[in-house]
Amino acid sequence: MQEINLSKEELARYSRHIIIPEFNIEGQKKLKAAKVLVIGTGGLGSPMLLYLAAAGVGTIGIVDFDVVDDSNLQRQVLYSVKDVGRPKVEAARERILGLNPHINVIAYNEHLSSKNALEIFKDYDVVADGTDNFPTRYLVNDACVLTGIPNVYASIFRFDGQVSVFNYNNGPNYRDLYPEPPPPGLVPSCAEGGVLGVLPGIIGSLQANEVIKVITGIGETLSGRLFAFDALNFSTKIFKIGKDKSNPLNGENPTIKELIDYQQFCGIVPEVINEKVKEITVQELKQKMDAKEDFQLIDVREKHEYDFVNLGAELIPLNAVLDNVHKFSKDKQVIVHCKGGVRSAKAIQALEEKGFTNLYNLKGGIVAYAKEVDENLPVY
């Protein structure tokens, strides 16, 4: 193993670490030697990357395929207004190298998938999962188990956050906590349900703390435990996680020996939904509105989304659609919309099974309408 040395500048920079008796110079050398892969550079990834870079993790890999958007700046403190429109990994790399030029940062401006995960993961010692969707969480978990890499996990939603450490020293993994994903659409994303801006700062910092503990070996990690934080009531709980003998990855009779199709595993097939329903563009909707044509416009988002921005449609949330079938006209064209077009397509599919043939999905939803037709409407 190559000997790790700290320069005079690094010794000065990390002096507050080095003078901690339990940490000392050996802990700092372990950080410099470590290679950490951060999946997602959003709400959780922002504080985590800042603190891992500041702490002196020698090599940091960052995976993301998104670009910086105005709506990110409420919580993603890694970015500034000048970064809007830039690939997140490029802006993130520039920011953390500006914070600490003594580290190496590798940017992967690509979508993490079953095709590239194992190849990317193999060069790292620890993976930190800062994603916000179930397919990627299962993908990250399975890739970590198959490569034998610890997975430092966190999640956030509205006022709640969770942190744990999976696959560490033969400890439990994500599938021991969640053997099966929830039904599609049951748990909204942060984009649909919202998140308190300071929450990812709190949880992402705790996640960075667990990464540092895994690398240096100090303290007791959250392996086998799930830390839960409620920012609204400022309460915390810790739940024990046991190993499941039926875990398909590493239980008594493992059945998963390679990465699978995680979209399919989680029941998410939006491309099939979109192919099966009739669509109308936002420009066509605007023309119908201007011409005062006789049609029905239905919004299937949640009330808090509707209260924030709406097109004047009748609100019938997706989970209430089948209880309100009588409210949908069968005598004229019905245009159904949501934020981006997925929930409205699901609503149309459910109604078509009840015999409706006059339903049209607004392509791109209210987001497309705000961007392409009415720039005065806020985009969330």
Side-chain angles (χ1 to χ4, degrees), residues 278 329-335 352 356-360:
K278 299 186 289 290
S329 175
K330 287 190 174 182
D331 302 324
K332 55 187 174 183
Q333 185 182 46
V334 179
I335 300 171
E352 286 181 339
F356 283 84
T357 59
N358 59 324
L359 307 176
Y360 289 79

Side-chain angles (χ1 to χ4, degrees), residues 85-99:
R86 296 181 65 192
K88 284 187 175 179
V89 292
E90 290 183 9
R93 183 176 186 274
E94 180 180 295
R95 175 71 175 88
I96 60 179
L97 282 176
L99 175 64

